[in-house]
Each structure stands twice: as C-alpha cells, then as structure tokens.
Amino acid sequence: MTVHTTQQATPEGSPALVRPLVFGVLNVTPDSFSDGGRFLDPDAAIARGLELSAQGADVIDVGGETTRPGAARTDAGEEADRVVPVIRELAARGIRVSIDTMRASTAAAALEAGATIVNDVSGGLADPGIVPVAANAQVPFVAMHWRGHSDTMTSRAIYDDVVADVRRELGARVEALLAAGLDPAKLVLDPGLGFAKDADHNWQLLGRMTELQSLGFPLLIGASRKRFLGALLPDGAPVEQRDLGTAVVSALSATSGAWAVRVHDVASTVAALDVAAAWRRGAEATR
C-alpha cells in the first residue's frame, strides 16, 4: 500500500469526492481515556471494529496499550495478546487494519496477523527495532512527534515556538527513519496533539498545519475527544460530548490537506468530511 487519499462515491453516483482516510480508533485496553474497558473482550472488540467499518472507517486502528497522560506501560506479551486475535479476525473479513504500538514485537505479530499499517506514537524512538519491521514489510509507517512516555510527557510541554519546534523535531525523525531504511513513500507524520502539548500548542499546530506539510510528507491528525476540545465546552464535558468538535477539526483538517484523521466516532466525522468535500467541489466547479 502506498500513501494516498481515498475516494468516496456519492449515493447518487456523481463524481467521487476525495477526502482524507478515516482511522477508526479501537482501544483493546482497560484504561484508555475515552473507552477503556468497553472493548477489552475480543468479541466486543471485533464487533466494534465491524461497526466502525460499516460507518465508513477506511482503517481500523487497533491498540492494546493506553497512551493517556500519566499511564504506565503495558507488558509486551499482554499487549500482543489483546490485539492479535482482533486484528486477525478483522483482516480475515477484508478490513484494513493499523496496529497502534510502540513495540517492534507487537508490530511484527500484528503484521503477521494481517495489519497493513504501523502507527507508532513514539515515531520509532521507544523501540528502534520497530522501524526495520515496518521497512521490511513495506507498509506505511505513521511517525508521531513524541518527547517521552505518558508518565513524563506533561512536564515536557515546553517550546519556544511549538510549530517550529515540532517541525524541526519531526524533521530529525524523518532523517533517522529514512537512514534506517524506511521507504519515504511509506512515511506519514503526526504532530502529536495532546502529547507533551497543552491546549494552545494543539491549536497552533492545527492552525499552522501548512508549516508541517512543508516537510513533504502526508499528515495524520489525531484530535479525537482530547482534552483541549473538552475545554471549549462547559465544565470540560464528558469525552462522548466532544465528537462534534472532533468532526469540525476533521473537516478543517481536510480543508488544510490532511492525509488522514483518527477518530472514535466515525459516523460524525465521515459526514463532516463529505460536507467539506462537497464544499470544495462546489468551489472548484467550472462556471
């Protein structure tokens, strides 16, 4: 698979609308910030993955280790035991699956089970062995901006200019990843919203996305249900009430040229992306 946008035909059969890929979040964990525990059972996780796919997700992003602020690491064997049965079943049903992991061993097991994308929130820093795993498999590798594990990342949210600093640090990761053998045509970058970032940092990264795109690689945006969206609502709002804000961010990210968005509520984001695509089509129509 090469890195590209997806096309979605309208029900009326009119010309296809180009939109970012939608990664549907599937947390096979007991403690993720949004839906921890709901899909820890493999049957429940598989059913949720099928539901997300039916709602329009292009990729189901399966993770077995929470990365919420303050979280401790999950045992490597436990992480693999959580995700592999789910990935195997979803892939067997023809669903494109991404593995959300920082570990080479988990990535290798997931690829063996049928995953076709590696999504590493550490960008290869937590376990450098993950890079040759992805490179040898010739699958897309999503490298997020990362400054440290969940238990320390809040203290690392210090920047002179967050966009310039993130761009520089991602650029350094690009050089290291390519030197390690990763195909540049398979590399995707993620600015890491909420990871060693406060609310203002997140909004600046979104509002100045073109500066990150100047690195020359596709961008994945993962804003779904995060705290900075909740801060816009009364009393922060429960995570499930942040889906409208997430959908708006998804639509604006599409307008800014994002390659993909990663979300918990697929239906609302797909609807928002279809509206944004129709808007662009109208703007580009020949009068």
Side-chain angles (χ1 to χ4, degrees):
M1 173 189 169
T2 54
V3 173
H4 63 285
T5 56
T6 188
Q7 291 187 324
Q8 180 182 37
T10 62
E12 298 77 17
S14 56
L17 302 177
V18 178
R19 64 161 172 81
L21 292 171
V22 176
F23 281 52
V25 177
L26 181 53
N27 293 317
V28 190
T29 61
D31 54 354
S32 293
F33 83 94
S34 175
D35 50 12
R38 291 180 60 194
F39 309 115
L40 185 59
D41 176 77
D43 289 339
I46 292 164
R48 177 58 173 167
L50 294 172
E51 180 183 26
L52 292 172
S53 179
Q55 291 174 351
D58 302 290
V59 180
I60 305 303
D61 193 42
V62 180
E65 179 179 29
T66 184
T67 53
R68 60 177 172 76
R73 297 298 309 274
T74 299
D75 176 77
E78 177 67 19
E79 180 190 19
D81 288 345
R82 290 173 182 175
V83 300
V84 166
V86 178
I87 292 170
R88 183 178 293 116
E89 181 62 24
L90 293 177
R93 299 191 186 208
I95 293 174
R96 191 186 305 176
V97 180
S98 169
I99 176 61
D100 175 6
T101 185
M102 293 182 279
R103 288 191 175 97
S105 59
T106 303
L111 292 171
E112 178 69 22
T116 58
I117 300 172
V118 175
N119 179 16
D120 181 359
V121 299
S122 80
L125 287 168
D127 181 354
I130 200 170
V131 182
V133 168
N136 292 336
Q138 283 292 293
V139 297
F141 183 79
V142 182
M144 196 190 79
H145 175 262
W146 188 79
R147 284 187 163 185
H149 287 290
S150 297
D151 57 348
T152 64
M153 67 181 178
T154 300
S155 65
R156 301 173 187 267
I158 300 171
Y159 302 89
D160 292 325
D161 177 329
V162 65
V163 180
D165 291 350
V166 168
R167 185 189 183 284
R168 183 182 67 255
E169 291 169 26
L170 277 175
R173 288 310 302 149
V174 167
E175 292 182 6
L177 292 168
L178 299 187
L182 195 72
D183 182 351
K186 302 291 187 181
L187 180 57
V188 177
L189 301 179
D190 178 343
L193 302 178
F195 287 79
K197 320 282 191 312
D198 63 24
D200 286 343
H201 295 149
N202 295 329
W203 289 119
Q204 290 174 54
L205 288 164
L206 288 168
R208 295 163 57 188
M209 195 184 302
T210 55
E211 295 177 45
L212 302 176
Q213 289 171 323
S214 68
L215 288 167
F217 295 90
L219 290 182
L220 181 149
I221 300 299
S224 186
R225 294 182 175 177
K226 290 187 175 176
R227 189 178 305 168
F228 77 105
L229 295 177
L232 300 175
L233 302 171
D235 300 320
V239 290
E240 294 83 359
Q241 294 182 22
R242 302 173 189 175
D243 290 330
L244 177 57
T246 299
V248 173
V249 170
S250 296
L252 292 171
S253 297
T255 301
S256 297
W259 171 77
V261 292
R262 181 181 181 274
V263 300
H264 297 83
D265 184 65
V266 167
S268 61
T269 275
V270 167
L273 292 176
D274 288 346
V275 169
W279 185 293
R280 291 195 303 274
R281 186 180 60 175
E284 294 165 3
T286 303
R287 294 180 180 273

